[in-house]
Amino acid sequence: MSDKKFKIQFGRISVLLIIFCLALVAIDITLKYVEEAQGWNFTVIPGFIWVESGRRNNGAAFSMLSGNTAFLITFAIILLVVLVVAFVLVPEKRFTFLKLALAMVIAGAMGNLFDRFEYAGQVRDFVWINMLFSTACCNFADFFIVIGIIFAIADCLFFNEWALVPLTRRAKAAQKKQAEEEKKKSDKAGGL
């Protein structure tokens, strides 16, 4: 049985990702302020994406849990703590893409949490997206969260050493090495 302990995995890549994360938070908050101050109303892609100023959401995605401000703030804080701990513990050289994904989700959560504190539990949304069967109004923090989750799923499915379908040389080599180590352990245990 191995005696592995959690170690802080914090180096140059982590510092760069923290700067990136803070830049995303600044972009989100700045865009919300500028959009609100200028009253943006325009079409990006006709029938698919448009911007409409002045929308506030006191719920989560698709206005779920509307009016449950205390729960949403508490959940966001707990989620942020878990994500930050994961960010600090994930090895940066082996899981750079996963750390990037975590940084994006953290940035989105921080941007929306800032709004909830600043605007009595509400989040400023202004980008409308037609998703074929319904429309959703969101902000850039929401985009960061969704993209980060997609990156994390892609990393777990295809890129990291535990990938279900390894597509990179590094993932294939790590899985091959792990299989060889398990075979050695199995052979050693069978020889006893």
Side-chain angles (χ1 to χ4, degrees):
M1 183 177 239
S2 97
D3 187 28
K4 293 184 179 179
K5 293 187 179 182
F6 292 111
K7 287 180 15 183
I8 293 176
Q9 305 287 328
F10 203 82
R12 187 177 66 212
I13 293 171
S14 295
V15 171
L16 291 173
L17 288 173
I18 288 172
I19 293 168
F20 175 69
C21 176
L22 294 175
L24 291 180
V25 173
I27 288 168
D28 174 62
I29 292 170
T30 301
L31 285 173
K32 288 173 182 172
Y33 277 121
V34 172
E35 167 273 322
E36 211 168 43
Q38 295 181 358
W40 290 350
N41 288 298
F42 57 87
T43 299
V44 179
I45 300 173
F48 183 57
I49 300 173
W50 64 97
V51 172
E52 191 176 291
S53 186
R55 171 103 158 105
R56 300 273 174 102
N57 179 4
N58 67 350
F62 304 102
S63 297
M64 291 185 313
L65 301 169
S66 289
N68 291 306
T69 302
F71 172 78
L72 290 170
I73 289 174
T74 304
F75 179 75
I77 291 170
I78 292 168
L79 179 65
L80 271 171
V81 169
V82 169
L83 290 171
V84 168
V85 168
F87 180 87
V88 169
L89 295 178
V90 168
E92 64 180 33
K93 290 195 167 112
R94 288 180 16 220
F95 299 101
T96 303
F97 197 62
L98 183 57
K99 268 195 133 136
L100 169 65
L102 288 169
M104 293 186 78
V105 175
I106 289 167
M110 287 174 66
N112 282 338
L113 188 58
F114 173 84
D115 266 17
R116 290 204 191 279
F117 282 124
E118 187 74 15
Y119 296 96
Q122 297 179 333
V123 174
R124 296 171 289 174
D125 290 335
F126 58 95
V127 180
W128 285 89
I129 300 176
N130 183 351
M131 300 186 306
L132 301 178
F133 300 108
S134 70
T135 57
C137 192
C138 54
N139 56 49
F140 279 79
D142 299 330
F143 291 139
F144 303 152
I145 292 169
V146 170
I147 293 168
I149 290 170
I150 290 169
F151 282 1
I153 291 169
D155 186 58
C156 292
L157 289 176
F158 307 114
F159 305 128
N160 76 35
E161 62 193 55
W162 300 311
L164 294 176
V165 183
L167 297 180
T168 63
R169 272 188 249 146
R170 177 187 272 176
K172 289 176 184 177
Q175 287 190 3
K176 183 179 177 183
K177 181 180 176 183
Q178 183 178 3
E180 289 169 357
E181 288 174 3
E182 287 176 14
K183 186 175 181 336
K184 285 179 187 176
K185 286 179 185 176
S186 171
D187 291 346
K188 189 176 182 180
L192 292 177

